[in-house]
Amino acid sequence: VTHPFLCQQLGLFSKNHAIFEEHSNMINKYLTTNFLKTDTTINSTYVSGKNGSCRSNHILHLDLKYAEIYKKYNRNTRRNINKANEANLILNESYDVPAFVELIKLHDESGVAGLNEKNISNLISTSFTKGSGTIIVAKDDEGVHSGAFYIIDDQRVHFLLCASDSIGKEKKAMFL
């Protein structure tokens, strides 16, 4: 069992802890009884059970100055950022949904993006209409080498999709 493509979190949402825990246990029992393996992204208050493992969502607090954020990166991340900065790539906002979706499809080894092309296009276009989405591309004179799609709400910037061609990967464009 895997969660749907681009689904951030599954699970129960309730303010009643007793009902929440009871239903969480019922779901866990069903999944472990009926499926050999599950790999889902479940909200953090969901009771994972004894066979589950928790991974934390990475939240980068942007209320600090960039120099302070940069200091907290590990050495490898700092090296990749420096390499990307030396690559003379330019960052631009893009509204070219078909070109971005094509970049994702071309460089998605799993093939999942191709199967969800219409949904991805609709999601990005709708987010543009609502004023909550943005695509950032890294390019040079040869063209676009990397792109990333974000949705922005009142409290967070959600990183949803990205892709890089071989030049973008070599130049570490995603670290810009």
Side-chain angles (χ1 to χ4, degrees), residues 26-60:
M26 285 177 14
I27 291 170
N28 275 337
K29 184 176 180 182
Y30 178 81
L31 291 173
T32 56
T33 302
N34 293 288
F35 299 97
L36 183 61
K37 181 180 179 194
T38 62
D39 183 11
T40 58
T41 305
I42 297 178
N43 67 60
S44 61
T45 56
Y46 182 84
V47 179
S48 65
K50 62 184 173 188
N51 294 325
S53 62
C54 260
R55 290 178 261 171
S56 63
N57 194 5
H58 296 287
I59 297 175
L60 179 62

Side-chain angles (χ1 to χ4, degrees), residues 9-165:
Q9 294 183 4
L10 297 172
L12 302 171
F13 294 86
S14 174
K15 292 181 180 180
N16 184 329
H17 186 71
I19 291 174
F20 183 83
E21 189 168 348
E22 176 187 344
H23 287 111
S24 295
N25 288 333
M26 285 177 14
I27 291 170
N28 275 337
K29 184 176 180 182
Y30 178 81
L31 291 173
T32 56
T33 302
N34 293 288
F35 299 97
L36 183 61
K37 181 180 179 194
T38 62
D39 183 11
T40 58
T41 305
I42 297 178
N43 67 60
S44 61
T45 56
Y46 182 84
V47 179
S48 65
K50 62 184 173 188
N51 294 325
S53 62
C54 260
R55 290 178 261 171
S56 63
N57 194 5
H58 296 287
I59 297 175
L60 179 62
H61 297 280
L62 301 176
D63 54 342
L64 301 173
K65 293 186 178 183
Y66 182 72
E68 293 299 313
I69 294 170
Y70 183 86
K71 282 183 200 175
K72 294 181 180 183
Y73 291 145
N74 68 36
R75 190 173 64 217
N76 187 50
T77 299
R78 288 192 304 266
R79 186 178 67 245
N80 286 330
I81 290 170
N82 292 337
K83 183 173 182 176
N85 283 327
E86 293 167 3
N88 295 319
L89 294 169
I90 298 168
L91 293 180
N92 286 109
E93 191 168 4
S94 172
Y95 297 95
D96 190 345
V97 176
F100 179 70
V101 172
E102 191 61 27
L103 178 72
I104 292 171
K105 282 178 24 188
L106 284 172
H107 302 287
D108 173 27
E109 294 175 10
S110 72
V112 173
L115 297 173
N116 292 282
E117 178 178 2
K118 186 175 179 182
N119 290 338
I120 293 169
S121 294
N122 288 341
L123 171 69
I124 296 170
S125 296
T126 301
S127 74
F128 284 169
T129 302
K130 295 183 177 286
S132 62
T134 189
I135 295 171
I136 304 295
V137 296
K139 64 182 191 171
D140 61 14
D141 293 338
E142 296 176 26
V144 172
H145 299 295
S146 292
F149 171 64
Y150 303 87
I151 290 193
I152 302 160
D153 65 26
D154 293 337
Q155 297 179 8
R156 291 195 176 154
V157 177
H158 303 271
F159 171 68
L160 291 181
L161 293 166
C162 67
S164 291
D165 65 12

